[in-house]
Amino acid sequence: SVIETMDDHHVHTFISLAGPHMGEFGIPGIFQDVIPWGRDLAWRFFFTAEFQSKLSVAAYWNDPRHDEHLKYFDHNTFLPVFNNEPNRSSQSPGQPKSETEAARYKRNLLRLEKLVLMMGGRDETIIPKESSHFEFYNENVSAVVPLEDTALWSQDHLG
């Protein structure tokens, strides 16, 4: 997000090590065993203004199930903004959606000569691990959708 907001950056190559670029929808390891219902209820908390402003994982929480996904666009003030998702409802907390700012973010990302996205093959913290490559679960959470099969790619929202 820093690169997208810096009009005068001189970054040649950005290397991302297991970044949750499409978000997080899972509870790592032992926590899933302890609170198996946690993932299903997290959006109720993570999509509130309080959690969005104070808890980093809330800014990355992306519940792909249909009804909850609509809440993601309405209430997540970070990830849909910086991914230039067209259904986002704001440009940042308290700011209306701005196509001008979205174009600026895309322009700044395009100034990179190289973008290197690394994913841990056994990553159990970023869920799904493919989020590191801008891939994410389908609406049924039954499969990961390849980047090339998303609107983010086909409609060129990132750059």
Side-chain angles (χ1 to χ4, degrees), residues 3 9 105-113 156 158-159:
I3 290 170
H9 78 74
Y105 294 170
K106 183 176 175 178
R107 201 171 44 250
N108 288 339
L109 195 60
L110 285 169
R111 290 181 58 209
L112 293 172
E113 291 293 322
D156 194 23
L158 284 175

Side-chain angles (χ1 to χ4, degrees), residues 5 47 53 58 65 80 82 91 103 111:
T5 60
F47 293 160
S53 68
R65 299 169 300 175
F82 287 100
Q91 201 58 41
R111 290 181 58 209

